[in-house]
Each structure stands twice: as structure tokens, then as C-alpha cells.
Amino acid sequence: SYNNHDIVKFLEKIGAQFGACQNAYTSADETVYQLVVPTDKPELLGDALAVLGEFAFKIRCAEGDLKKERGAVLEEWRMTKDAAGRAQEAHWELIMRGSKYAERLPIGTEAVIKGAPASTVKSFYEKWYRPEHMAVVVVGDIGAEDADLERTVQLITQHLGSGQSRSQEPAMAIPEYSFVPHEEPRCKVFVDKEAADSAVYVSFKQDRRK
């Protein structure tokens, strides 16, 4: 229903922020899309949910689109290669050592960013972007006792309730990777000649909460 420019124009029209880390983020376990919608125009909520429906079920994954995005993602990757980024990566490897998480950061490697074909991205999207793996959350001034709540539920159902996976295969369970337990504290001293200051990181692990 929308092309790339239509979505950007819509977000600009409602004053929503749009750009890297402003309307989406990816961690090791999830990808979250988020839109901040003005509350003085109730009709915009439906438009925003329609855009989220596009993100959820109608991504094109064409080679031309991927080519346009490689530069932006590669620049984001390069920004993590300063002293602070290298310290963060060293800390990540230390606390995750022995687990799947330690193998790479969520943004991936330079080789994958530069060379992953559109077919691979599309296959990943079709495999994991499914209704069974999604949740929709609306936060705002929506009264539980009035018609706003019912209307909001109707809008979510209208724009996302009929979404279907493109894959005909049964949904796979989302894998869960545990941390490797250790009796003694792990310690690391990281020295970088470009570091402008000193920092101490202390992390405490706990079991995954269901």
C-alpha cells in the first residue's frame, strides 16, 4: 500500500522522528518498531498502525532496496569501531563468553553487511516475521472505560489482525540461548590508545525470566 517515500512523507506529516535508532532498534533477541503519534488527531493512530502492518507483513526485500540500505548500515557499523565501541565489544565478549551471544554483535559483520544477498534477507524475514512471534503495544492517553479503548483494539485488529506469514511452513520456536555459568568473577582490562577517559563496567547475570 505504501512505497518508501510514502511512509517517510507520512511520518514527516505527523511530526514523528524517522531515522536510525529513532523508529526501530534490534537487540540480540528482538527487533522493535515504534512510532510516536500525536494524540490531538485520533485518525492518525489508524494510519500509524497501517504503517506498522506494512513493516510487519509487507516488506519487499528487493535487491535495489537492500543496496540503498547497505551504506547506512555500514556507516552505523563503522561508528562502533571507535574506542568506546571497541570497549563495549570487549565487555560484551567477556560477559557472554561461551554462549551464542559472544560470537557477534547484533549489527553483524562487515562482510555480511556488504555481501548478504536479498534472497537471504527475504528468507530470514519470511521465516521469523510471523504473527506468532509478534506483539503490538499501544501506550497513550486511552481510557479503559470509554470508547477509545474499543476503537484502538478495532484499529489494531483492522490493520494487523489479518496479517499472515509468507511462509507456508509451520512456525519454528524462537531459539533461546543460555549463558555459560561460572563460579569465579570474570575480569578484563581493556586498553585503547584512542580512549579519552577511563571507565569501569560491572555486570550481574541472572536467569532468563519467562
Side-chain angles (χ1 to χ4, degrees):
S1 301
Y2 296 89
N3 61 38
N4 294 354
H5 299 296
D6 290 338
I7 290 179
V8 173
K9 288 179 180 178
F10 164 70
L11 295 175
E12 290 175 344
K13 182 182 72 173
I14 67 174
Q17 292 181 317
F18 185 76
C21 304
Q22 292 179 332
N23 65 303
Y25 71 83
T26 297
S27 71
D29 294 312
E30 65 182 6
T31 293
V32 175
Y33 296 94
Q34 50 198 12
L35 294 176
V36 179
V37 183
T39 58
D40 58 339
K41 296 181 179 179
E43 68 274 10
L44 293 180
L45 178 59
D47 294 336
L49 289 169
V51 170
L52 285 179
E54 297 276 320
F55 291 167
F57 303 111
K58 298 181 180 179
I59 296 297
R60 187 168 49 217
C61 295
E63 188 63 47
D65 298 323
L66 191 60
K67 184 177 180 180
K68 294 177 183 178
E69 292 298 320
R70 289 189 199 276
V73 177
L74 192 59
E75 182 59 28
E76 185 178 346
W77 175 85
R78 290 191 180 115
M79 289 173 63
T80 69
K81 298 307 173 185
D82 59 2
R86 290 189 290 270
Q88 182 183 24
E89 190 168 352
H91 179 237
W92 177 276
E93 188 281 326
L94 177 70
I95 62 175
M96 304 295 186
R97 183 176 297 164
S99 74
K100 190 76 172 176
Y101 295 103
E103 295 180 7
R104 65 178 64 181
L105 294 174
I107 197 169
T109 66
E110 182 180 16
V112 170
I113 296 170
K114 287 183 174 180
S119 58
T120 299
V121 176
K122 183 177 181 181
S123 177
F124 180 90
Y125 176 80
E126 293 179 349
K127 181 178 181 180
W128 297 110
Y129 278 61
R130 311 173 59 108
E132 302 95 323
H133 298 155
M134 297 179 185
V136 180
V137 179
V138 176
V139 179
D141 186 14
I142 301 172
E145 293 80 22
D146 55 34
D148 285 349
L149 179 59
E150 181 179 353
R151 177 178 177 275
T152 300
V153 172
Q154 289 175 346
L155 287 172
I156 294 173
T157 303
Q158 175 185 342
H159 294 293
L160 292 118
S162 61
Q164 297 180 356
S165 170
R166 297 184 188 180
S167 173
Q168 301 302 312
E169 299 295 325
M172 294 179 60
I174 297 177
E176 293 186 1
Y177 300 105
S178 61
F179 299 118
V180 176
H182 50 93
E183 297 293 332
E184 299 296 327
R186 292 175 178 171
C187 302
K188 173 180 282 189
V189 177
F190 178 79
V191 179
D192 194 299
K193 63 182 181 180
E194 296 181 8
D197 50 27
S198 300
V200 177
Y201 296 96
V202 180
S203 297
F204 296 89
K205 299 179 186 177
Q206 60 184 16
D207 292 335
R208 183 189 297 270
R209 295 179 178 178
K210 299 295 185 181

